[in-house]
Structure formats: C-alpha cells, structure tokens
Amino acid sequence: MQTSILIIVFAPLLAAIVAGLGNRKLGNVPAKVITTGALFIACGFSWPIFLQFLGGDVPATVVPVLKWVQSGTMTFDWVLRVDTLTAIMLVVVTSVSALVHLYSWGYMSDDPDQPRFFAYLSLFTFAMLMLVTANNLVQMFFGWEGVGLASYLLIGFWFKKPSAGAAAIKAFVVNRVGDLGFMLGIFGTFLVFQTTSIPEILDAAPGMAGSTITFLGMRWDTMTILCLLLFVGAMGKSAQLGLHTWLPDAMEGPTPVSALIHAATMVTAGVFMVCRLSPMFEAAPAALTVVTIVGGATCFFAATIGTTQWDIKRVIAYSTCSQLGYMFFAAGVGAYGAAMFHLFTHAFFKALLFLGAGSVINAMHHEQDMRYYGGLRKQIPITFYAMLAGTLAITGVGIVGVAGFAGFYSKDAILEAAFASGTSAGNAAFWLGTVAALLTSFYSWRLLFLTFWGKPRWIESEHIQHTVHKTPEQAGEDTTGGYHPHESPIPMLIPLCVLSVGAVLAGAVFTHSFIEDESFWNGAIAFNEHLIHSMHEVPMWVKMSASIAMVIGFVVAWYGYIRKPSMPAAAAQQLGPIYRFIYRKWMFDELYDYVFVKPAFWLGRLFWKAGDEGTINRFGPDGAAWLVMRGSGLAARVQSGYLTSYALVMLLGLVAAITWVLF
Amino acid sequence: MGGFPILSAMLLVPLVGAIACLFSEAKTARMIALIATLVDLVLGIVLWMNFDVGGAQWQFTERAALFAGFDYALGIDGIALMLIMLSVFLMPVCIGASWTSITKRVGEYMAAFLLMEVLMIGVFAAQDILLFYIFFEAGLIPMYLIIGIWGGDNRIYASYKFFLYTLLGSVVMLIAILWMVIESGTTSVPALMVYDFPPEAQTWLWLAFFASFAVKMPMWPVHTWLPDAHVQAPTAGSVILAGVLLKLGGYGMIRFSLPMFPDASAQFMWLIFALSMIAVVVTSLIALVQHDMKKLIAYSSVAHMGIVTAGLFAFNVQGLEGAMVMMLSHGLVSAALFLCVGVIYDRLHTREISRYGGIAINMPAYATIFLFFTMASIGLPGTSGFVAEFLSLAGVYQASSWAAFVCTTGIILGAAYMLYLYRRVAFGPQVNEDAAAMPDISIREYLLLVPIVLATLWMGVYPESFLAPMRQDIAVLDARLASAAPQGDAHFEMGKGTPAEEAHAEGEAH
C-alpha cells in the first residue's frame, strides 16, 4: 500500500512538471498523454485502497517522505497518511480528475496552450492529494494553498481576458482571508497542544474541554476559539456565506476546471477539514453551532441566487455553494459521515452537471446564457440524458424506503440528522435545508427546461449570430438561425457517461458504509452512534419533507418554464426590489467593494502621499536638506553629489573618535 | 580546514579583484569581477561544507592584534555562515545582471561591487566590535557610489537621503560602542554577547543600536530612503541592497541588541511589535497603490522586514529562526524580483507598470519565473517565503496574539499587491506595442534566475539544510533571553479536573 500511495500522490506532480516545463516544445499530444496517463494510473491505484477500506477495520497507513521543518519544539515533516477519510477523498479526487483530464482532450482541443492547461490540472491534483493525505496541519496548509495556486492559475488560464485576471486575484485574495484564520488556528493549536500532528491533536482534544485561553484580549474557551479560527479557513476554501464571493467569478476559468476544482474537489476541502478534525470540533460545541448556522444560511442563501441567474455556469456555481452548506451543517450537527457522503455523491453529480454544461456550451458556440438556449434535447441527446441524470441526483429523486438517485440518500440523511440532533441550530438548519431543497429542485429543473425544452431561442445569442452571419431580423421566423448544434466528441462523452453511472448508483451502493458503518470509518471521524439511532426514529413527515420539497420545486419550474413561460417575468416584476436584491447576489460584491477594496486603495494613497511624502519626508530628510540649504555655503555642498567626500569625512571622523577613546 | 585562514581569503579575493578592476578596461573588468565572485562562492561552499554543525559556537576563528585592544578578529557561527552564503551567492548574480546594462565606467563599477562583497563578508565575520563597525558603515560607501554614479535621473537625491538616514543612526551607535568597550574592557563580540550590562545602561545602549539598525532594516517610519534608493539604483544595486544590505539591521539585532541587552530588549518588545505591525499594514497598503514596479517591491520589502523584527522580538526559538529564514528568503526572493524587473527594464527602459501588460503572451518563460517569485514573496508553501512567514508568525503568536493577528494580515495584503502587480504586467491584452515586441529571457538571464529558483524551492521544501547550522546558536540565544522573556498573552489554563500531564503545555508556551 505504501508504494501505491506514493505513486498516487507523486505521479500527477511528475506529470505536471514534465508537461509544464516541456510546454510547447513537448507538443500537445505528449503532454496530454503524460498528464492524463498519470491521473488514470493514480485513479487505478486509488480504487483498490478504497475498496479495501470498504471491507471495514483497516488501520491508517503512514508513509514518511522527507523531513520538513524542525524549530525548537515545533516539528513537521512531509508525511502521507491514508485512513478511511483519506481513501474516500483519494477516489473522489483521482476519479474526477482523471475524467476531467480526458474530457479536456475534447473541450480544449482548439486551445493553443494545451500543455500548460494539462500541467495546471495535474499540479492541482497533486496539491489536492497532499491536502487530503496530510498528517499534520502544516502539510494540510501546503495542500490548501497549493490548490489555491492551481485555482488561481486555472481561473486566469485565459489571461488575455481582463475579467479572468480579476477573477483569479479575487479567488486568491478572498481565500487568503480564510487562510488568515487557518494560520492563526494552527498557531493557537501549536501553542496549546505543542504539536501540529493531527492524530496527536485529536487524541488530546477531548482532554482540553473546559480549558481557557486569551485571544485578542478576550477570554475564550480554548477549543471554541481554535475551531472557529480553523473554520474561517474552511469557509474561505468552501465558499461559505461571507467568503463566497470568489466562487461565482471563478467560472471565468474553462468549464472542466469548474467541474474539477470549483465543484467536486477543492471547494470541498473545508468540509474535509472539519471532518478530519471532527474530534476537535466535538470538543467545541459552540463552534459546531456556528458551523451549523453558517452551513444552513449558506445553503439557503446560495439557492435563492441560483433561482435567478441566467448564466448556466453561475447557476451551477451557486448550486455548489448551496450544497456545500448542506455538508457543513451536517458536520455541525455531528453527522460527519453524512457530510462526507454528500461530499462523495456531490462530487459525481456536480462534476457531471458542470461537464454537461460544458458540453452544452461547446454545442452552442460558447454561449453561456440560458435565455438563448431552448429545445436542445433532440440535438445533443447524450448530453441531455447525462444532465438529466445529474438533475435527478442533485434534486434527490427517490422513494423513501425503496431506492433513489445519489443525492436522495445523502441529502435526506443530512436533513434527518439535522432534525434528529434536537438542537435549535440543528432545527433551524433542517428548515433552511428543506426550503433550499425546494429551491434546488426549482433552479435545477429551470436550468434543464430552459436548455433542453421549449422553442430554440438561439438566434438571440451574439455568439450564434456571429457564427451564422445573421441578425434576428434576417432570421425571421426561424429562431434557430439555421444553426446546428453538434453533440460533443467521444472524449467528452465518456466522462459524462461514467459520471452518470456514479450519479445514479453512488448513493444506493455506499449509503450503508458511509452513514451507519462504524467499522468502515474506524476512528477516522468522530462517529456519533447516538445520532445515527435518532436519525432512524425521526417522524415520517421529516423523512418525506425533502421529497415533498423536491416535488413542489419541480412543479413550479414546470409551470413557469413549460406550461406558462410568461410567469417568471411577471413574478420578477411583482417581487420588484426583492428580485433585484437576489438577482444582484444579495449585493455582496458591491458591499465589499465599498467597505474593503476602495478604502484599501484610499488608505494606501493616504499613507503614501500624506504619510511618507507629506510627513516623514517633509519633516525628515527633505526638511533637513532645506535647513542645510538655508545654512552655510559649506553645507550646501552636501547637495553636490561628491559622495566620496562624505565617505572620506566619515572615515576620518571614525579614526579620530577611536583615537580619542583609546589613546 | 587545518590552519587555512579561509575567511581572510574570502575577503582578500574580491579585494584584489577590486583593485585589478580599477585598472582594467570594461571587458576585462567584467571577467575579473565574475571570476572573483565565483571563486568567493566556491570558497563559501567549502566554508559551509567544513562548518561543524553542532560543534563549537565560533568556528574558523582568526585573530591578529592590531593596536590597543583593537583586533583583526574573524570567526563565524551558523547565523553568520548563512548570511555569508547569501552574500557570496548573490554577488555573481549581481555581476551577471550588470553584464550588458552597465557601459559607463565599468572598471569602477565592478570594483565597487567587489569592495561591497569584501565589506559584507567582513560585517558577518567580524568578531571585534570596532572591526564590525568599520565594515558595517563602510559597506554603505560603495552603495552610495553605485546609486550616485550609475543610478537613475534622480540619483543624487536618493543617495543623499540614503546617506542622511544612515549617518544619523551610525553616530549614536558609535558612541554606544565606545562606551561599551570602556565599560567591559573588551572589544570581542563573543565576550560582549555574554557580558551583563547594568539594566539601566542597557536601555540607552539598546536605543543607540536601535537607531542604527532600524534605519538599516528599514523599519517604519525611517524607511523612506529605501523606495528612493531602489528606484534610482541600477538593477544589480537593488539586488544587493534588498538581498544583503537590508539584512544588516536584522543581523545587528540578533547579534548585538538581543544577546547584549536582553532586559532592554524585553522592555522595548512592544515598541518593536508596534512598529512592525504598522510596517506590515501601512507599507503593504502603500505598495498596493504604486505604479512604479521597483517602488512597489521596495515597499513590500519594508513589510517583510516588519515580520523579521516582530519574529526577532518574540523571544522564542520559532520567532528567531523564522526571522532568520525570512532574512535569507527575502534575500533570495526580493533580489530575484528586482532581477525580474531589471529584465523588462532593460528592454523597455521604464518601471511604469502601465507601460507593460499581457507580456505572458510574448514572454512566457519570463512570466513563469516572475510568477514563481511573486508566489514566493507572498509565502506560498513549498517556497522559502512560507517557512519564513510561518515560523516567525508562529513565534509572534506565542508572545502576543494581537501582534500575530495584525502581522498575519500581511498574507492577505501581500497577495493583493503582488498579484495586482503581476496581473497588470503579465496578464490582460497586449496594450503597448513595444512591450508586446519584447523577446523572452536570454540564456544569461536564465543563468541568473534559475539558481535562485532552485535555492528558493530548496529552502521551502527542505529548510533543514539552512536551519541546522543555526540551531545551536539560536538555542544559546534563546537560553540567554529566557530570563528576560516577557510572558505571552495567551494565559492558557486547563479546565478543572484535567490530568496534570497536560499542564506542562503552559510552561513551555512561554
């Protein structure tokens, strides 16, 4: 197992280095073969490890790689550690990554910079694998920032577009706000535990209950403040309410990137972190309440925005944000198994939805606005069925007690756990989650109906007009403009089919292990047996609530976008300011610009012009110069520029001073 | 090493080279300088390989009495070794960076650089406090010349400002040194490092040294000479200024202020923290609004040096080691960033950021290397910048969570100003035709930058090579400071009824 772990983690790194340094000299095909090959190898080694863990009671494997830092009592090394939690992430990361690599053969086939793209993808995978195999908090932080770098590079991949550059910076800087919390959390953890090793911290965490510490002049419960600081990091990476603003903008990156990084893997790192440190969070009930509330609020808030957006990728991006909220409040109520299960199923169906969207965008000549889609069902049938599978999975279609698609199992488990936890935060999260389930169903079906049903509205799109060389007037009655969307090439369809299987089956196959099997987890997360029991005992209406919400959402979407298409505009008109508030994403960007960005530049100019130049220089060196200039003619020579004379004077002075003291 | 006086040899080689350069024409002078600096690099490597990690504190000592207790005494510990390595590593790079861009008075220019190398090695190797002072102050003379003769349009103003600031600090430090020598009766630095000055005297001595070191660092608010000096200096001048000269202040603090005046250091901890916090936040914000590339990087240096000072005065091993790694890391990274600016300055002759844009299209290799150093500067894990930032801030946190919080905001601001710079230079469409026509980096430029890339990665992935030689010296210093170290603000307390074994955490966490 040790060798396979090393191969899994370092094969993508080697591939990234070769493809990245070779770049255009290497050529497109070799770069693609090397990176994609490395990922399929990594994927091939990951599944046997996961299946082994699925058997139950497998202890963690630790592979030391290299010494990293030793400073006084602080030591941390490069070590790979694989337990159940990591094994799950290994299959998620390597499978989705391998499929996205393959998909990109088709999607990026016209791009002149393919080796660079594939090198970034593989680099990302390496960093993500370092994150999930971390045995200490600092290596986790390495992976954390490494995926941030890859995300920055890939969002900015089409760097000629100014919007891509801006989105890349925004992603990095907003994540750094979270990282500020993460870093302080690590410092505090080290101060308290005298180690950064995760297993040692988790062992000692329960003993810290009741201890107190001062942070920023306030007295805190130790575990509460540490967990809250670490959770700020998780909020940044997983785009939770307040630190979410970078995720929708990150859609500037190529669509395969959105599928891999901004849906299936990187953004789930925060959830992974909370689960990885679950014994720590269990010792901090107050922090868990915060996690629950933030998760619940995010899942609701992002879903509302998802219902109003027109850009197909943005809808899915807000959907991701919302689904991450589910995972967090699951963790917040102590159902770490359910959180990880939703992470697992979500990785498949959300990657599927993004890749499907990419296939639609590809067919529609880079048009991303759903207002210009319509009637694509027959033109691109495989994409349609794949996205249908994804939609059935995300909305959680299924029959209680019988069977269902992937999301049915994981989302229902989360809602049941929230209700069963019995806390008021859990209860609030349950209701928020149920409403969000309704909204999820609405925006997902809205997306599907707008794209695949109805009459084609293609000629309204500038991209299509550009292609067919017609204006809507010239096209007249024929709203297709004579444009023929084509189904995507095989390399793009294979990942869609594979992920569809995942979206359909992942729930049913793995639900027992993830939710109920303590021996599967084998201590990798804090397993709350009591909660599992109460989950079974929730009232029937609780079990049904998600399905009911799903049906209502579907019916409303069907009525508004198929039955009576004039309804949405009328509703938007009716709601007026509320609609605009939601449509403009709750005004977060405007608010942050006003509160943080503009003042930062203003302060910078103030400190520069009024501070450095207006005060320090004026009364310091320039003031002195002025005095000197006004003084004797001898001093005026200071301005002459004969620097050697200063040096001479200084040395003479020095010799004189020494002579005076010593003799 | 037997009895071979390797430190003297390292001083002699560039000195002889400098004299030879003065009497040579341009072409020969360049070759002489390159060879001399490379020989010194080789000697440096020999020095490092023969340094006995964990052995005697002072190694390679040489001593020759000159007059009246004033000795020619050299010797190094791990801290000095690392800084000497940094100097000898960057010197050939400086010569290479000036290879084609300097055409005026080449002989004198090369001589100035070689003289600078002599003086830099001298500062770090000097074991006599007066000898140190001479090297320390004289090291600025070649820098005045480099800025004043080979600098930009406003070079006289810049060199004058540089002179004025440093002069101010130096005079008071000299008086303090003389007082110390009379009081203790010795000029030996190792002896002074264990000499206990009376606490009330420590206060004044500390302030006198601080006046000089704070300027050299530079700390806010005596930093305003740095942006001007950088902007006016030729590329290699900026490289050596950012790479080595800015380390003199930090070296002075770790060699003199802390071990010689531990009580005063503890007393002034909050002064240092306050100035460091202001430096990190204020100069980062200023860096955000710069439109001159060199000025931006100069301001970022002030912010990074703020982390160094905060780490040094955290009074624990992580803070001290982090500050040392930060000095080494910043020496590599900021030097490389100035080289990167130099590369495009040589092509377009402007430092104005808006004159560039989209150069990742025509200079992909350059864009990659520039991005690497941008990331190293903002402390991406895997590069030296992270180890530096992480250790020093972890140290600061143990002393004060407020100081750590404010200094850690530097990771956000740093990312903002560096990525904003990178975006304006490398990303976006090609708006300026002349910038779009620039050729990618040449072999010579590769040779300058790639070694720094490798060193930065090495220090980021396996910093043990750099930490190990310093470990014992830092431990000695930490022990010396232990009695004076202020208590941290965490006041960690266990809950009731917890096992006693956990309670030791509090004691260790200062």
Side-chain angles (χ1 to χ4, degrees), chain B residues 167-389:
Chain B
L167 179 78
L168 202 77
S170 306
V171 174
V172 268
M173 185 169 86
L174 180 62
I175 295 167
I177 288 178
L178 296 176
W179 190 89
M180 283 161 69
V181 171
I182 294 166
E183 162 80 15
S184 66
T186 175
T187 58
S188 152
V189 172
L192 287 166
M193 281 169 73
V194 291
Y195 187 88
D196 294 312
F197 289 99
E200 58 277 13
Q202 280 191 23
T203 306
W204 296 108
L205 294 171
W206 189 93
L207 283 172
F209 275 76
F210 177 70
S212 178
F213 296 152
V215 171
K216 293 281 193 320
M217 235 19 236
M219 293 180 79
W220 188 89
V222 285
H223 65 283
T224 60
W225 62 270
L226 186 70
D228 287 310
H230 268 308
V231 164
Q232 299 304 327
T235 300
S238 288
V239 169
I240 208 66
L241 178 58
V244 186
L245 280 184
L246 290 197
K247 310 302 169 291
L248 294 183
Y251 177 74
M253 285 182 182
I254 203 168
R255 177 67 77 230
F256 299 92
S257 305
L258 286 167
M260 294 183 191
F261 326 119
D263 299 311
S265 296
Q267 188 189 332
F268 286 113
M269 181 182 86
W270 269 104
L271 173 69
I272 296 277
F273 277 178
L275 294 181
S276 303
M277 291 192 287
I278 295 173
V280 169
V281 175
V282 169
T283 53
S284 293
L285 286 170
I286 295 177
L288 197 60
V289 295
Q290 296 305 309
H291 29 75
D292 178 313
M293 284 191 275
K294 275 187 142 182
K295 230 172 194 174
L296 194 155
I297 299 169
Y299 273 111
S300 91
S301 292
V302 182
H304 280 105
M305 290 300 116
I307 307 264
V308 171
T309 44
L312 286 175
F313 282 79
F315 287 85
N316 52 49
V317 174
Q318 287 86 31
L320 290 168
E321 292 193 335
M324 279 310 299
V325 179
M326 182 57 105
M327 286 198 239
L328 299 175
S329 164
H330 179 265
L332 294 174
V333 175
S334 68
L337 283 171
F338 280 116
L339 282 175
C340 284
V341 172
V343 166
I344 49 178
Y345 181 81
D346 286 347
R347 285 161 175 68
L348 216 57
H349 299 286
T350 176
R351 298 175 309 265
E352 202 54 37
I353 297 170
S354 58
R355 290 281 287 107
Y356 297 91
I359 65 170
I361 300 166
N362 51 313
M363 302 177 75
Y366 170 79
T368 309
I369 292 177
F370 187 26
L371 181 69
F372 175 84
F373 288 114
T374 299
M375 286 294 164
S377 169
I378 63 185
L380 192 83
T383 65
S384 56
F386 172 70
V387 180
E389 236 168 42

Side-chain angles (χ1 to χ4, degrees), chain B residues 111-151:
Chain B
F113 266 90
L114 290 171
L115 183 62
M116 177 103 86
E117 178 164 27
V118 176
L119 298 169
M120 293 300 101
I121 297 172
V123 167
F124 299 130
Q127 283 214 312
D128 183 286
I129 196 163
L130 292 170
L131 189 64
F132 164 83
Y133 183 79
I134 293 172
F135 282 133
F136 187 78
E137 294 304 335
L140 301 165
I141 301 170
M143 198 66 220
Y144 301 139
L145 300 178
I146 289 164
I147 298 174
I149 300 175
W150 293 276

Side-chain angles (χ1 to χ4, degrees), chain A residues 66-74 76 78 138 141-142 145 149 152-153 156 159-160 162 165-166 169 172-173 176-177 179-180 183-184 186-188 190-192 194 207-217 219 222 600-601 603-605 607-608 612-613 616-617 621-622 624-625 638-639 641 643-644 646-647 650-651 654 657-658 661-663, chain B residues 67 133-134 137 141 144-145 148 156-157 159-161 163-165 174 178 182 221 223-224 282 285-286 288-290 299 317-318 321 360-361 371 375 378-382 386 390-391 393-394 397-398 401-402 405 408-409 411-412 415-416 419-420 422-423 427-429 460-464 467 471 489-495 498 502 505 508-509:
Chain A
L66 188 71
K67 191 183 177 77
W68 191 5
V69 168
Q70 182 198 338
S71 173
T73 51
M74 181 183 256
F76 40 89
W78 300 103
V138 191
F141 192 74
F142 167 84
E145 293 268 287
L149 167 71
Y152 167 82
L153 293 171
F159 59 81
K160 283 169 227 170
I169 293 190
F172 201 96
V173 173
R176 276 270 161 136
V177 177
D179 293 349
L180 167 70
M183 253 179 127
L184 290 173
I186 299 177
F187 298 154
F190 174 72
L191 188 140
V192 171
Q194 287 293 300
M208 292 293 170
S211 62
T212 51
I213 196 167
T214 302
F215 177 72
L216 299 188
R219 205 71 194 151
T222 308
F601 279 86
L603 277 174
R605 273 187 293 272
F607 287 137
W608 181 27
D612 274 21
E613 295 191 344
I616 298 173
N617 280 349
D622 295 354
V638 170
Q639 287 278 298
L643 285 154
T644 35
Y646 312 152
M650 226 177 77
L651 278 177
L654 178 67
I658 293 169
V661 169
L662 298 177
F663 295 98
Chain B
F67 51 87
Y133 183 79
I134 293 172
E137 294 304 335
I141 301 170
Y144 301 139
L145 300 178
I156 300 301
Y157 173 72
S159 52
Y160 152 73
K161 208 165 169 181
F163 170 79
L164 198 73
Y165 263 115
L174 180 62
L178 296 176
I182 294 166
H223 65 283
T224 60
V282 169
L285 286 170
I286 295 177
L288 197 60
V289 295
Q290 296 305 309
Y299 273 111
V317 174
Q318 287 86 31
E321 292 193 335
I361 300 166
L371 181 69
M375 286 294 164
I378 63 185
L380 192 83
F386 172 70
F390 187 83
L391 284 181
L393 292 171
Y397 185 95
Q398 292 169 53
S401 54
W402 267 114
F405 172 74
T408 311
T409 57
I411 71 168
I412 305 170
L419 294 180
Y420 186 45
Y422 188 78
R423 175 188 158 197
F427 283 177
V461 174
Y462 191 72
E464 180 63 13
L467 285 170
R471 183 161 296 135
D489 73 347
H491 307 295
F492 176 67
E493 264 170 42
M494 287 306 296
T498 41
E502 306 281 3
E508 284 178 17

Side-chain angles (χ1 to χ4, degrees), chain A residues 34 42 131 229 238 240 253 277 282 385 400 440 474 491 511-512 638:
Chain A
I34 290 168
L131 193 166
L229 285 172
S238 293
Q240 293 300 288
L277 302 177
E282 282 295 303
Y385 283 110
V400 177
T440 307
Q474 290 166 332
T511 177
H512 174 74
V638 170

